[in-house]
Amino acid sequence: MTAIRMISSMLLLVLMQSGVLCARRFRGGRNPQPRRSPPPPTYRADRGDTTESFPLDFTAVEENMDNFMTQVKNLAQSLYPCSAQKLDYDMKLNFLENTSVTCNDGSPAGYYLKESRGSRRWLIFLEGGWYCFNKENCDSRYETMRRLMSSSKWPQTKTGTGILSPLPEENPHWWNANMVFIPYCSSDVWSGATAKTEQSGYAFMGSLIIQEVVKDLLNKGLDNAKVLLLAGSSAGGTGVLLNVDHVAELLEGLGHTGIQVRGLSDSGWFLDNKQYSCTDCTECLDAITCAPTETIKRGIKYWGGVVPERCRQTHEGEEWNCFFGYRVFPSIKSPVFVVQWLFDEAQLAEGQWRYIQNLGIELRNTLKDVPAMFAPACLSHEVITRNYWIDIQVKGTSLPRALHCWDRSLNDNRNNKAPPKGCPVHLIDSCPWPHCNPTCPTIRDQFTGQEMNVIQFLMHMGFDVQKMAQQQGMDPSKLLGMLSSGS
């Protein structure tokens, strides 16, 4: 058996090295986004043993050699197109079979899919993009951001990046999963369940779109899945918190009890309005300038929004509470990993320096009881689909590594094993200033794309050096030095 193990290990290493070389050889053909820093030539130590990136069951070596060899054959077949130079990385557009479930304007909803035959892991990603909450700002959204309300001009293919990437060097632990990208075209934080009416002028079917996508995928291999990871960023991250249990209940109700449903919420852990200064909340015009609780209160009525049943019961009559992470999280049954920048750009507004100060503290407080999380002290928004997501670290552990540790801990719990040592899943920065983590991504002006340093960004947000230094009881030059150095 020892000899068999050695042969198996050597064979796996050869296959995996071939796969990585294959992916790198054809990387240039994908037109990837420019990286913040050059990719490392080899896997980093903090990602652990690279063999864990492949969905192979290593217990099969000892228990069932035939099953193990079948897995090796599947891996070899997945690498065959590389030698044939016919790699196809793109996800392809599919419209829902149920045509009554639509985008805001009544155009058909759909999803992008890249199948990975032989893999029993599925990743379904919910796109973000704010929301609208009345006829006036939905009309404005339709004129300026139509792709977020209509499928009429969606491209036929989409290339995945970050955790949706099919390249091991960019996505070390999920690259070989079946990838699904659901475009956001419901403007309802993935919560709506109402058809188009004359009064609203739009359909709001975000929650129904997710359910219909899952039903469609059952006919495309999801019925044989072992793990389904429902992931999302920004409004999609909140959508994960609102829908992960719905998806688990849907699959269970359809008889697919063996599929482990998990959630990954990126930049969707929004705080309510207790720290926002709102001069006249009754006159708020859009989701960016209005207090969050006010827009959600209005939106949930306009959309016919659906929230998780356990959260609804806890906040009956005030269901809007369920759109805020720390309020809905205690009611969620499914395992959820939370990724949240401590200084989230989407939760900052002009001139609110006091809110900037408190944001990191408040987010830390609301995240402290979340078992699985990754919270860097950075000024940014969204990360899991960025091609630099592998570069961000908290206390020496990268985000892909933390997610992999989480995967392992869940599997070990099911098998009654002790959790792996040196594999953290609760990671939060302790340094107090925006961008004090040296691995934070570059700050860019959201309109011009130009790089900005922390001080430039904070001054843009209304930061007053003299006033802030006075509040902290320190010399202004010392405060600027601390912010500049990230100490």
Side-chain angles (χ1 to χ4, degrees):
M1 183 60 71
T2 302
I4 293 175
R5 286 179 184 165
M6 290 177 63
I7 294 170
S8 302
S9 299
M10 290 174 64
L11 178 58
L12 281 170
L13 285 170
V14 170
L15 284 170
M16 285 183 281
Q17 287 173 355
S18 301
V20 173
L21 290 172
C22 165
R24 290 177 177 168
R25 188 183 308 149
F26 287 93
R27 181 174 184 131
R30 300 175 54 241
N31 295 321
Q33 299 175 10
R35 292 175 56 83
R36 185 173 62 87
S37 59
T42 58
Y43 285 101
R44 293 181 178 180
D46 75 350
R47 293 181 201 165
D49 186 347
T50 56
T51 59
E52 294 167 355
S53 304
F54 293 81
L56 293 175
D57 182 3
F58 290 97
T59 59
V61 179
E62 297 177 349
E63 298 170 7
N64 188 335
M65 179 55 69
D66 290 339
N67 184 35
F68 177 76
M69 291 311 297
T70 299
Q71 294 182 67
V72 173
K73 285 180 182 178
N74 288 337
L75 176 57
Q77 287 170 358
S78 74
L79 296 176
Y80 170 74
C82 176
S83 61
Q85 298 192 15
K86 291 182 180 178
L87 281 177
D88 188 358
Y89 287 126
D90 290 337
M91 298 178 281
K92 294 178 173 57
L93 177 61
N94 297 260
F95 288 110
L96 292 178
E97 291 183 13
N98 183 351
T99 55
S100 67
V101 177
T102 70
C103 297
N104 288 130
D105 67 347
S107 58
Y111 58 96
Y112 291 85
L113 168 66
K114 187 187 97 53
E115 296 179 67
S116 182
R117 301 186 188 279
S119 173
R120 297 181 63 195
R121 300 205 297 169
W122 287 72
L123 194 159
I124 298 179
F125 179 83
L126 308 180
E127 185 183 23
W130 285 101
Y131 51 88
C132 56
F133 56 88
N134 60 34
K135 182 70 164 57
E136 291 72 29
N137 57 53
C138 284
D139 285 344
S140 175
R141 181 180 173 91
Y142 192 68
E143 290 302 314
T144 58
M145 295 182 282
R146 188 161 302 184
R147 74 166 190 85
L148 293 174
M149 299 182 75
S150 173
S151 65
S152 58
K153 292 187 178 180
W154 287 352
Q156 289 301 304
T157 60
K158 192 170 188 68
T159 301
T161 53
I163 201 169
L164 293 172
S165 171
L167 303 178
E169 61 186 37
E170 188 174 328
N171 187 15
H173 303 301
W174 276 88
W175 68 272
N176 198 35
N178 297 275
M179 301 293 189
V180 182
F181 178 99
I182 313 182
Y184 184 38
C185 68
S186 56
S187 307
D188 56 4
V189 198
W190 297 97
S191 73
T194 58
K196 187 176 180 179
T197 65
E198 284 190 20
Q199 184 178 4
S200 69
Y202 299 100
F204 296 99
M205 296 187 165
S207 182
L208 297 181
I209 289 171
I210 296 171
Q211 293 181 46
E212 291 302 317
V213 170
V214 171
K215 290 177 185 176
D216 276 14
L217 293 174
L218 287 171
N219 298 321
K220 298 184 177 181
L222 181 63
D223 59 332
N224 191 43
K226 182 178 179 181
V227 174
L228 188 165
L229 180 63
L230 183 68
S233 294
S234 193
T238 307
V240 169
L241 301 174
L242 293 173
N243 288 280
V244 65
D245 279 350
H246 283 162
V247 171
E249 290 159 9
L250 172 65
L251 289 171
E252 187 175 348
L254 294 173
H256 301 285
T257 56
I259 303 175
Q260 303 168 37
V261 178
R262 305 169 183 172
L264 171 57
S265 175
D266 166 28
S267 303
W269 191 272
F270 289 92
L271 299 180
D272 52 29
N273 74 337
K274 61 183 177 181
Q275 292 178 310
Y276 280 72
S277 57
C278 184
T279 54
D280 188 357
C281 290
T282 59
E283 296 297 325
C284 62
L285 300 176
D286 55 50
I288 297 176
T289 60
C290 187
T293 50
E294 194 61 34
T295 58
I296 294 298
K297 283 179 183 178
R298 299 180 188 198
I300 196 171
K301 293 179 181 177
Y302 188 52
W303 310 321
V306 177
V307 299
E309 180 60 23
R310 291 176 64 192
C311 188
R312 188 194 67 78
Q313 291 175 1
T314 302
H315 299 283
E316 195 161 0
E318 296 184 331
E319 288 83 0
W320 53 267
N321 281 290
C322 299
F323 285 76
F324 298 97
Y326 74 102
R327 296 187 184 274
V328 68
F329 187 82
S331 70
I332 299 174
K333 296 179 183 178
S334 306
V336 175
F337 192 106
V338 175
V339 180
Q340 183 62 50
W341 303 110
L342 291 179
F343 301 94
D344 192 324
E345 289 179 22
Q347 299 192 47
L348 305 179
E350 289 289 338
Q352 292 178 320
W353 171 244
R354 180 164 301 199
Y355 181 67
I356 296 173
Q357 282 183 273
N358 292 335
L359 182 60
I361 297 170
E362 289 297 316
L363 280 170
R364 278 191 192 91
N365 288 339
T366 62
L367 289 166
K368 63 183 179 182
D369 295 326
V370 177
M373 50 152 298
F374 187 88
C378 303
L379 281 162
S380 196
H381 184 62
E382 301 189 7
V383 64
I384 62 174
T385 56
R386 308 298 194 216
N387 52 16
Y388 55 74
W389 80 303
I390 61 175
D391 300 328
I392 315 301
Q393 295 186 5
V394 174
K395 298 178 180 177
T397 298
S398 72
L399 177 51
R401 173 66 176 164
L403 285 171
H404 179 57
C405 290
W406 179 58
D407 273 343
R408 287 185 60 187
S409 69
L410 293 174
N411 292 334
D412 290 343
N413 286 341
R414 290 174 66 90
N415 298 324
N416 296 317
K417 294 181 181 177
K421 293 182 179 179
C423 214
V425 297
H426 183 93
L427 292 155
I428 185 166
D429 266 333
S430 54
C431 62
W433 297 104
H435 247 56
C436 54
N437 180 326
T439 69
C440 288
T442 300
I443 303 173
R444 294 187 181 277
D445 186 290
Q446 60 179 324
F447 299 109
T448 66
Q450 289 186 321
E451 287 191 18
M452 304 171 73
N453 61 35
V454 177
I455 295 173
Q456 288 172 326
F457 178 85
L458 294 178
M459 291 180 70
H460 174 70
M461 299 296 295
F463 171 56
D464 185 324
V465 178
Q466 298 284 347
K467 186 175 180 181
M468 177 57 196
Q470 187 177 15
Q471 289 175 352
Q472 298 295 320
M474 65 172 65
D475 184 83
S477 60
K478 182 179 180 182
L479 175 59
L480 283 173
M482 291 173 67
L483 290 173
S484 299
S485 64
S487 61

Coordinates of all heavy atoms in Angstrom, one line a residue, residues 66-121:
D66 N -10.3 1.7 -7.1 CA -11.0 1.9 -8.3 C -11.6 3.3 -8.3 O -11.5 4.0 -9.3 CB -12.1 0.9 -8.5 CG -11.6 -0.5 -8.8 OD1 -10.4 -0.6 -9.3 OD2 -12.3 -1.5 -8.6
N67 N -12.2 3.7 -7.2 CA -12.8 5.0 -7.1 C -11.7 6.1 -7.2 O -11.9 7.2 -7.9 CB -13.5 5.2 -5.8 CG -14.2 6.5 -5.7 OD1 -14.7 7.0 -6.7 ND2 -14.3 7.0 -4.5
F68 N -10.6 5.9 -6.6 CA -9.5 6.9 -6.7 C -9.0 7.0 -8.1 O -8.8 8.2 -8.6 CB -8.3 6.4 -5.8 CG -7.1 7.3 -5.9 CD1 -7.1 8.5 -5.2 CD2 -6.0 7.0 -6.6 CE1 -6.0 9.4 -5.3 CE2 -4.9 7.8 -6.7 CZ -4.9 9.0 -6.0
M69 N -8.8 5.9 -8.8 CA -8.3 6.0 -10.2 C -9.4 6.7 -11.1 O -9.0 7.4 -12.1 CB -8.0 4.6 -10.7 CG -6.8 4.0 -10.1 SD -5.3 5.1 -10.0 CE -5.0 5.3 -11.8
T70 N -10.6 6.5 -10.8 CA -11.7 7.2 -11.5 C -11.5 8.7 -11.4 O -11.6 9.5 -12.4 CB -13.1 6.8 -11.1 OG1 -13.2 5.4 -11.3 CG2 -14.2 7.6 -11.8
Q71 N -11.2 9.2 -10.2 CA -11.0 10.6 -9.9 C -9.8 11.1 -10.7 O -9.8 12.2 -11.2 CB -10.8 10.9 -8.4 CG -12.1 10.6 -7.6 CD -11.9 10.9 -6.1 OE1 -11.7 12.1 -5.8 NE2 -11.9 9.9 -5.3
V72 N -8.7 10.3 -10.7 CA -7.5 10.7 -11.4 C -7.8 10.8 -12.9 O -7.4 11.8 -13.6 CB -6.4 9.7 -11.2 CG1 -5.2 10.0 -12.1 CG2 -5.9 9.8 -9.7
K73 N -8.6 9.9 -13.4 CA -9.0 10.0 -14.8 C -9.8 11.2 -15.1 O -9.6 11.9 -16.2 CB -9.8 8.7 -15.2 CG -9.0 7.5 -15.4 CD -9.9 6.3 -15.8 CE -9.1 5.0 -15.9 NZ -10.0 3.8 -16.2
N74 N -10.7 11.6 -14.2 CA -11.5 12.8 -14.4 C -10.6 14.0 -14.5 O -10.8 14.9 -15.3 CB -12.5 13.0 -13.3 CG -13.6 12.0 -13.4 OD1 -13.9 11.4 -14.5 ND2 -14.3 11.7 -12.3
L75 N -9.6 14.0 -13.6 CA -8.6 15.2 -13.6 C -7.8 15.2 -14.9 O -7.7 16.3 -15.5 CB -7.7 15.0 -12.4 CG -6.6 16.1 -12.3 CD1 -7.2 17.5 -12.2 CD2 -5.7 15.8 -11.0
A76 N -7.4 14.0 -15.3 CA -6.6 14.0 -16.6 C -7.5 14.5 -17.7 O -7.0 15.2 -18.6 CB -6.1 12.6 -16.8
Q77 N -8.8 14.0 -17.8 CA -9.6 14.5 -18.8 C -9.9 16.0 -18.8 O -10.0 16.6 -19.9 CB -11.0 13.7 -18.7 CG -10.9 12.2 -19.1 CD -12.1 11.5 -18.8 OE1 -13.1 12.0 -18.2 NE2 -12.2 10.2 -19.1
S78 N -9.9 16.5 -17.6 CA -10.1 18.0 -17.5 C -8.9 18.7 -18.1 O -9.0 19.9 -18.5 CB -10.4 18.4 -16.1 OG -9.2 18.3 -15.3
L79 N -7.7 18.1 -18.0 CA -6.5 18.7 -18.6 C -6.3 18.4 -20.1 O -5.5 19.1 -20.7 CB -5.3 18.2 -17.8 CG -5.2 18.6 -16.3 CD1 -4.0 17.9 -15.7 CD2 -5.2 20.1 -16.1
Y80 N -7.1 17.5 -20.6 CA -6.9 17.1 -22.0 C -7.0 18.3 -22.9 O -6.2 18.4 -23.9 CB -7.8 15.9 -22.4 CG -7.8 15.7 -23.9 CD1 -6.7 15.1 -24.5 CD2 -8.9 16.2 -24.7 CE1 -6.7 14.8 -25.9 CE2 -8.9 16.0 -26.0 CZ -7.8 15.3 -26.6 OH -7.8 15.1 -28.0
P81 N -8.1 19.1 -22.8 CA -8.2 20.2 -23.7 C -7.0 21.1 -23.8 O -6.8 21.8 -24.8 CB -9.5 21.0 -23.2 CG -10.2 20.0 -22.4 CD -9.1 19.1 -21.8
C82 N -6.2 21.1 -22.7 CA -5.0 22.0 -22.7 C -4.1 21.5 -23.8 O -3.6 22.3 -24.6 CB -4.3 21.9 -21.4 SG -2.8 22.8 -21.3
S83 N -3.9 20.2 -23.9 CA -2.9 19.6 -24.9 C -3.5 19.8 -26.3 O -2.8 20.0 -27.2 CB -2.7 18.2 -24.6 OG -3.9 17.4 -24.7
A84 N -4.8 19.9 -26.4 CA -5.5 20.0 -27.7 C -5.6 21.5 -28.0 O -6.1 21.9 -29.1 CB -6.9 19.4 -27.6
Q85 N -5.2 22.4 -27.1 CA -5.2 23.9 -27.3 C -6.6 24.4 -27.6 O -6.8 25.2 -28.5 CB -4.2 24.3 -28.4 CG -2.8 23.9 -28.0 CD -1.8 24.6 -28.9 OE1 -2.1 25.5 -29.6 NE2 -0.6 24.1 -28.9
K86 N -7.6 23.8 -26.8 CA -9.0 24.3 -27.0 C -9.6 24.7 -25.7 O -10.7 24.3 -25.4 CB -9.8 23.1 -27.7 CG -9.4 22.8 -29.1 CD -10.3 21.7 -29.7 CE -9.9 21.4 -31.1 NZ -10.7 20.3 -31.7
L87 N -8.8 25.4 -24.9 CA -9.3 25.8 -23.6 C -10.5 26.8 -23.8 O -10.4 27.7 -24.6 CB -8.2 26.5 -22.8 CG -7.2 25.5 -22.1 CD1 -6.1 26.3 -21.4 CD2 -7.9 24.6 -21.1
D88 N -11.5 26.6 -23.0 CA -12.7 27.5 -23.0 C -13.0 27.9 -21.6 O -13.6 27.2 -20.9 CB -13.9 26.8 -23.7 CG -15.0 27.8 -23.9 OD1 -14.9 29.0 -23.5 OD2 -16.1 27.4 -24.4
Y89 N -12.5 29.1 -21.2 CA -12.7 29.6 -19.9 C -14.0 30.3 -19.6 O -14.4 30.5 -18.5 CB -11.6 30.6 -19.5 CG -10.2 30.0 -19.4 CD1 -9.1 30.5 -20.1 CD2 -10.0 29.0 -18.5 CE1 -7.8 29.9 -19.9 CE2 -8.7 28.4 -18.3 CZ -7.7 28.9 -19.0 OH -6.4 28.4 -18.8
D90 N -14.7 30.6 -20.7 CA -15.9 31.5 -20.5 C -17.1 30.8 -20.0 O -17.4 29.6 -20.2 CB -16.2 32.2 -21.8 CG -15.2 33.2 -22.3 OD1 -14.5 33.7 -21.4 OD2 -15.1 33.5 -23.5
M91 N -17.9 31.6 -19.2 CA -19.2 31.2 -18.8 C -20.2 31.6 -19.9 O -20.0 32.7 -20.4 CB -19.6 31.8 -17.4 CG -18.6 31.4 -16.3 SD -19.1 32.3 -14.7 CE -18.3 33.9 -15.0
K92 N -21.2 30.8 -20.2 CA -22.1 31.0 -21.3 C -23.5 31.4 -20.8 O -23.9 30.8 -19.8 CB -22.1 29.8 -22.2 CG -20.8 29.6 -22.9 CD -20.8 28.3 -23.8 CE -19.6 28.2 -24.7 NZ -18.4 28.2 -23.8
L93 N -24.1 32.3 -21.5 CA -25.4 32.9 -21.0 C -26.5 31.8 -21.3 O -26.6 31.2 -22.3 CB -25.7 34.1 -21.8 CG -27.1 34.8 -21.6 CD1 -27.2 35.2 -20.1 CD2 -27.3 36.0 -22.5
N94 N -27.3 31.6 -20.3 CA -28.5 30.8 -20.3 C -29.7 31.6 -19.8 O -29.6 32.2 -18.7 CB -28.4 29.5 -19.5 CG -27.3 28.6 -19.9 OD1 -27.5 27.6 -20.6 ND2 -26.0 28.9 -19.6
F95 N -30.8 31.7 -20.5 CA -32.0 32.3 -20.0 C -32.8 31.3 -19.2 O -32.8 30.1 -19.5 CB -32.8 33.0 -21.1 CG -32.2 34.2 -21.6 CD1 -31.6 34.2 -22.9 CD2 -32.0 35.4 -20.8 CE1 -31.0 35.4 -23.4 CE2 -31.4 36.5 -21.3 CZ -30.9 36.5 -22.6
L96 N -33.6 31.7 -18.2 CA -34.4 30.8 -17.4 C -35.4 30.1 -18.2 O -36.0 30.7 -19.1 CB -35.1 31.6 -16.3 CG -34.2 32.2 -15.2 CD1 -35.0 33.0 -14.2 CD2 -33.4 31.1 -14.5
E97 N -35.7 28.8 -17.9 CA -36.7 28.1 -18.6 C -38.1 28.7 -18.2 O -39.0 28.7 -19.0 CB -36.6 26.6 -18.2 CG -35.4 25.9 -18.8 CD -35.4 24.4 -18.4 OE1 -36.5 23.9 -18.0 OE2 -34.4 23.8 -18.6
N98 N -38.2 29.1 -17.0 CA -39.5 29.8 -16.5 C -39.5 31.2 -16.9 O -38.9 32.1 -16.3 CB -39.6 29.6 -15.0 CG -40.9 30.2 -14.5 OD1 -41.7 30.8 -15.2 ND2 -41.2 30.0 -13.2
T99 N -40.1 31.5 -18.1 CA -40.0 32.9 -18.6 C -40.9 33.9 -17.9 O -40.8 35.1 -18.2 CB -40.5 32.9 -20.1 OG1 -41.8 32.3 -20.2 CG2 -39.5 32.0 -21.0
S100 N -41.7 33.5 -16.9 CA -42.5 34.4 -16.1 C -41.6 35.1 -15.1 O -42.1 36.1 -14.5 CB -43.7 33.7 -15.5 OG -43.2 32.8 -14.5
V101 N -40.4 34.6 -14.8 CA -39.5 35.2 -13.8 C -38.6 36.1 -14.6 O -37.8 35.6 -15.4 CB -38.8 34.2 -13.0 CG1 -37.8 34.9 -12.1 CG2 -39.7 33.3 -12.2
T102 N -38.6 37.4 -14.4 CA -38.0 38.4 -15.3 C -37.1 39.4 -14.6 O -37.2 39.5 -13.3 CB -39.0 39.2 -16.1 OG1 -39.7 40.1 -15.2 CG2 -40.0 38.2 -16.8
C103 N -36.4 40.2 -15.4 CA -35.7 41.4 -14.9 C -36.7 42.5 -14.6 O -37.9 42.3 -14.9 CB -34.7 41.8 -15.9 SG -33.3 40.6 -16.2
N104 N -36.2 43.6 -14.1 CA -37.1 44.7 -13.8 C -38.1 45.1 -15.0 O -39.3 45.4 -14.8 CB -36.3 46.0 -13.5 CG -35.7 45.9 -12.1 OD1 -34.5 46.2 -12.0 ND2 -36.4 45.5 -11.1
D105 N -37.5 45.1 -16.2 CA -38.3 45.6 -17.4 C -39.1 44.6 -18.1 O -39.7 44.8 -19.1 CB -37.4 46.4 -18.3 CG -36.4 45.4 -19.0 OD1 -36.3 44.3 -18.6 OD2 -35.8 45.8 -20.0
G106 N -39.1 43.3 -17.5 CA -39.9 42.3 -18.1 C -39.1 41.4 -19.1 O -39.6 40.4 -19.6
S107 N -37.8 41.8 -19.4 CA -36.9 41.0 -20.2 C -36.5 39.7 -19.4 O -36.5 39.7 -18.2 CB -35.7 41.7 -20.6 OG -35.0 42.2 -19.5
P108 N -36.2 38.6 -20.1 CA -35.9 37.4 -19.4 C -34.7 37.4 -18.5 O -33.7 38.0 -18.9 CB -35.7 36.4 -20.5 CG -35.4 37.2 -21.7 CD -36.1 38.5 -21.6
A109 N -34.8 36.9 -17.3 CA -33.7 36.7 -16.4 C -32.9 35.5 -16.8 O -33.4 34.7 -17.5 CB -34.2 36.6 -15.0
G110 N -31.6 35.4 -16.3 CA -30.8 34.3 -16.7 C -29.5 34.2 -15.9 O -29.4 34.9 -14.8
Y111 N -28.6 33.4 -16.4 CA -27.3 33.2 -15.7 C -26.3 32.8 -16.6 O -26.6 32.3 -17.8 CB -27.6 32.1 -14.6 CG -28.1 30.8 -15.1 CD1 -27.2 29.7 -15.4 CD2 -29.4 30.6 -15.4 CE1 -27.6 28.5 -16.0 CE2 -29.9 29.4 -15.9 CZ -29.0 28.4 -16.2 OH -29.4 27.2 -16.7
Y112 N -25.0 32.9 -16.2 CA -23.9 32.4 -17.0 C -23.3 31.2 -16.3 O -23.2 31.1 -15.1 CB -22.8 33.5 -17.0 CG -23.2 34.7 -17.9 CD1 -23.9 35.7 -17.3 CD2 -22.8 34.8 -19.2 CE1 -24.2 36.8 -18.1 CE2 -23.1 35.9 -20.0 CZ -23.8 36.9 -19.4 OH -24.2 38.0 -20.2
L113 N -23.0 30.2 -17.1 CA -22.5 28.9 -16.6 C -21.3 28.4 -17.3 O -21.2 28.4 -18.5 CB -23.7 27.8 -16.7 CG -23.3 26.4 -16.5 CD1 -22.9 26.1 -15.0 CD2 -24.5 25.5 -16.9
K114 N -20.3 28.0 -16.5 CA -19.2 27.2 -17.0 C -19.1 25.9 -16.2 O -18.8 25.8 -15.0 CB -17.8 27.9 -16.8 CG -16.7 27.2 -17.5 CD -15.3 27.8 -17.2 CE -14.6 27.1 -16.0 NZ -14.4 25.7 -16.2
E115 N -19.5 24.8 -16.9 CA -19.5 23.5 -16.3 C -18.1 22.9 -16.1 O -17.2 23.2 -16.9 CB -20.3 22.5 -17.1 CG -21.8 22.9 -17.2 CD -22.6 21.9 -18.1 OE1 -22.7 20.7 -17.7 OE2 -23.0 22.3 -19.2
S116 N -17.9 22.2 -15.1 CA -16.6 21.5 -14.8 C -17.0 20.0 -14.6 O -17.2 19.6 -13.4 CB -15.9 22.1 -13.6 OG -14.7 21.4 -13.4
R117 N -17.0 19.3 -15.6 CA -17.5 17.9 -15.5 C -16.6 17.1 -14.6 O -15.4 17.1 -14.7 CB -17.6 17.3 -16.9 CG -18.5 18.0 -17.9 CD -18.7 17.3 -19.2 NE -19.4 18.1 -20.1 CZ -20.7 18.3 -20.2 NH1 -21.5 17.6 -19.3 NH2 -21.3 19.1 -21.0
G118 N -17.2 16.3 -13.8 CA -16.4 15.5 -12.8 C -16.3 16.2 -11.4 O -16.1 15.5 -10.4
S119 N -16.5 17.5 -11.4 CA -16.5 18.2 -10.1 C -17.9 18.2 -9.5 O -18.9 18.4 -10.2 CB -16.0 19.6 -10.2 OG -16.2 20.3 -9.0
R120 N -18.0 18.0 -8.2 CA -19.2 18.0 -7.4 C -19.4 19.2 -6.6 O -20.2 19.3 -5.7 CB -19.4 16.7 -6.6 CG -19.4 15.4 -7.4 CD -19.5 14.2 -6.5 NE -20.8 14.2 -5.8 CZ -21.0 13.4 -4.7 NH1 -20.1 12.6 -4.2 NH2 -22.2 13.5 -4.2
R121 N -18.6 20.2 -6.9 CA -18.7 21.5 -6.2 C -19.2 22.6 -7.2 O -18.8 22.7 -8.3 CB -17.3 21.9 -5.7 CG -16.7 20.9 -4.7 CD -15.7 21.6 -3.8 NE -14.6 22.1 -4.5 CZ -13.6 22.9 -3.9 NH1 -13.8 23.2 -2.7 NH2 -12.6 23.3 -4.6

